[in-house]
Amino acid sequence: MSELNPISLIAAKRDGRTLSGAELKGLIDAYTHGTVPDYQMSAFLMAAYLNGLSAAEAAALTDAMLASGTHIDLSGVPGTKVGKHSTGGVGDKVSPILVPLVASCGVPVAKLSGRGLGHTGGTLDKLEAIPGFRTDLSVEQYREQVTSLGGVISGQTGEVAPADKKLYGLRDVTATVESIPLIAASIMSKKLAEGNDALVLDVKCGRGAFMKTEADARCLAETLVTIAARHDTPGVAVLTNMDVPLGRAVGNWPEIREVIECLRGEHAESALMQVVYRLAGEMIALGGAAETPAEGIAAARAAIERGEALERFRCLVAAQGGEVSVLDAPDTRPHSAPVADVPVPAGAEGRVVDLDAYAIGEAAMRLGAGRQAKEESVDPVAGLSGLKKPGDAVSPGDVLARLHTGGAPNLTAVKERVQRAYSFADSVPPPAPAVYARHTQAGWTSL
């Protein structure tokens, strides 16, 4: 290809033209090496967001991002390694439960996770709320932990898909997150680099997700599975509900507390654990430790009941430098500053019929659990806990949620935002399913 002219590529995409694989690879390579600055890449991302990318462009973008760094080799790790990715949601604490759970069932899981994007939380931010927990593992440390422990959750190193690491933060602060091709390329460049043999993809759908409609969620699921197949990687996408927050806690440390409760066997029939068990069943079956996803679900339930998943989580936390003692006694977690604990009172009587996940995600971000600029840090203790959920009965003065922050946000404004996120009535319809459908190369199956 002739010398790269980023302005011409930006203009081409602005005008709706299709870029070749060579052009996209040249742009990604130049951005990775710093010869295309953030402001030009921001312009390209917005043009791609507004005009879209074709299936061929999305595949070429994935390949370019994957080729920007190292492909981790886990071939020396015994067994079929199965990865997992979520497209992001409010209260989505599935990974810290799922990775040790599936590992305890004999299926190795190597996971590269990200930080919060917009109103959604990030697994790394949540795990780093455990004092001492390290997510900056080297490739060798990552490989060793999968070998010795069967599970790892790490951040991207500079060696793995560095283009995605740079673009991930830029999309967050340029309002270009909710694009199916950009999301697919970001996800799959990481997933294909992390060394797993198969993938399970949690595609969230609803107000609190990046995919608001089922049609968009299905399109993303199909795109992800197709890209996986192009790289000879078996993939299963599961469509899950993100209209209301997943679980009763949103934020960093509040969600880790709920993770601990779930691994102890609490909340066994909650929507959160329905999602966990479905994904676990798929992963255990893909990993060859069960004949079918249904058998995998049964194995996962047994691992929770026997305490094996919690013990594997303890080992994972210890291996990555975290203070295991706070898992046994969460109230003993040390705080660097006084933590506000503010109740949000109900002003109505009846039953909760709805809870807007997007509004709750924004409230958590205002408390300090998220970031509005890619350079910002997050408050490890910020978030909400004790959320009333659809079906719960309330009376005036009951607590709808508790707000936690180590900073100084406008708590009155946050309380009002949380109150407006709720709807009440005298009776409630049956709850929406937590899991809708699954997709493989063979097509869709309702669940």
Side-chain angles (χ1 to χ4, degrees):
M1 193 178 83
S2 59
E3 184 178 350
L4 179 79
N5 183 347
I7 299 174
S8 68
L9 299 185
I10 294 166
K13 187 45 59 182
R14 178 200 65 195
D15 296 338
R17 297 203 297 274
T18 298
L19 300 182
S20 70
E23 287 172 322
L24 286 166
K25 186 176 189 310
L27 181 64
I28 293 301
D29 286 349
Y31 179 59
T32 303
H33 293 99
T35 56
V36 168
D38 275 357
Y39 62 82
Q40 285 186 314
M41 185 53 74
S42 296
F44 172 78
L45 290 173
M46 185 57 72
Y49 176 88
L50 294 174
N51 291 318
L53 297 172
S54 68
E57 285 178 306
L61 182 62
T62 303
D63 291 345
M65 292 163 64
L66 176 61
S68 71
T70 298
H71 186 288
I72 299 174
D73 182 7
L74 296 181
S75 59
V77 179
T80 299
K81 284 71 67 178
V82 183
K84 174 265 180 185
H85 187 82
S86 166
T87 57
V90 178
D92 181 7
K93 57 197 71 67
V94 169
S95 290
I97 305 171
L98 188 65
V99 171
L101 170 56
V102 173
S104 73
C105 293
V107 175
V109 186
K111 176 131 177 46
L112 295 176
S113 289
R115 301 196 179 277
L117 273 176
H119 66 281
T120 68
T123 297
L124 299 185
D125 298 324
K126 295 167 190 178
L127 285 169
E128 286 176 351
I130 301 172
F133 193 97
R134 289 186 54 224
T135 61
D136 59 341
L137 304 185
S138 69
V139 170
E140 188 50 48
Q141 289 169 327
Y142 172 92
R143 185 185 293 113
E144 167 56 30
Q145 190 167 314
V146 181
T147 303
S148 62
L149 191 59
V152 63
I153 304 176
S154 177
Q156 287 174 258
T157 71
E159 302 164 78
V160 176
D164 176 63
K165 188 172 184 179
K166 290 186 72 174
L167 286 170
Y168 193 87
L170 196 59
R171 287 167 51 223
D172 190 20
V173 295
T174 57
T176 55
V177 171
E178 298 94 335
S179 161
I180 289 174
L182 294 178
I183 290 172
S186 173
I187 291 170
M188 296 308 294
S189 64
K190 278 199 299 281
K191 295 296 104 181
L192 294 168
E194 66 188 5
N196 289 297
D197 304 310
L199 290 171
V200 172
L201 302 147
D202 178 6
V203 179
K204 298 199 174 294
C205 172
R207 287 170 305 195
F210 295 121
M211 299 297 101
K212 309 297 183 189
T213 69
E214 186 170 335
D216 282 347
R218 284 177 177 265
C219 181
L220 177 58
E222 291 164 5
T223 302
L224 294 171
V225 170
T226 297
I227 292 173
R230 287 181 70 250
H231 289 266
D232 298 320
T233 302
V236 178
V238 178
L239 219 60
T240 63
N241 188 339
M242 188 34 70
D243 270 330
V244 301
L246 196 56
R248 293 184 182 269
V250 176
N252 298 312
W253 179 244
E255 288 194 44
I256 291 298
R257 292 187 67 132
E258 192 169 22
V259 165
I260 297 165
E261 293 168 0
C262 289
L263 287 167
R264 287 175 176 169
E266 302 172 33
H267 317 301
E269 304 307 318
S270 66
L272 168 59
M273 289 307 294
Q274 289 176 44
V275 173
V276 168
Y277 284 133
R278 181 74 237 180
L279 298 175
E282 298 285 356
M283 294 175 73
I284 293 166
L286 277 174
E291 290 292 326
T292 65
E295 291 182 13
I297 291 171
R301 287 184 176 274
I304 292 281
E305 291 168 2
R306 291 194 296 262
E308 295 166 354
L310 176 59
E311 182 55 32
R312 191 64 60 100
F313 183 59
R314 290 169 57 86
C315 293
L316 187 150
V317 169
Q320 296 188 223
E323 293 185 18
V324 177
S325 61
V326 301
L327 308 184
D328 301 320
D331 289 337
T332 66
R333 183 195 185 280
H335 302 307
S336 59
V339 179
D341 181 352
V342 179
V344 179
E349 184 164 7
R351 289 188 176 273
V352 177
V353 293
D354 199 11
L355 175 58
D356 185 340
Y358 183 83
I360 295 299
E362 284 206 321
M365 189 165 67
R366 292 187 181 195
L367 290 168
R371 50 178 62 81
Q372 299 184 55
K374 67 177 184 176
E375 300 83 8
E376 288 181 351
S377 59
V378 297
D379 178 354
V381 300
L384 303 90
S385 65
L387 288 165
K388 294 288 189 183
K389 300 290 292 291
D392 290 343
V394 297
S395 299
D398 284 354
V399 176
L400 295 175
R402 304 195 74 86
L403 311 181
H404 309 282
T405 180
N410 184 337
L411 288 171
T412 299
V414 177
K415 284 169 64 175
E416 291 173 352
R417 191 168 191 80
V418 172
Q419 289 169 327
R420 291 196 302 271
Y422 279 90
S423 299
F424 306 93
D426 292 334
S427 60
V428 295
V435 181
Y436 294 119
R438 68 191 291 270
H439 178 68
T440 66
Q441 279 293 98
W444 283 96
T445 306
S446 296
L447 297 174

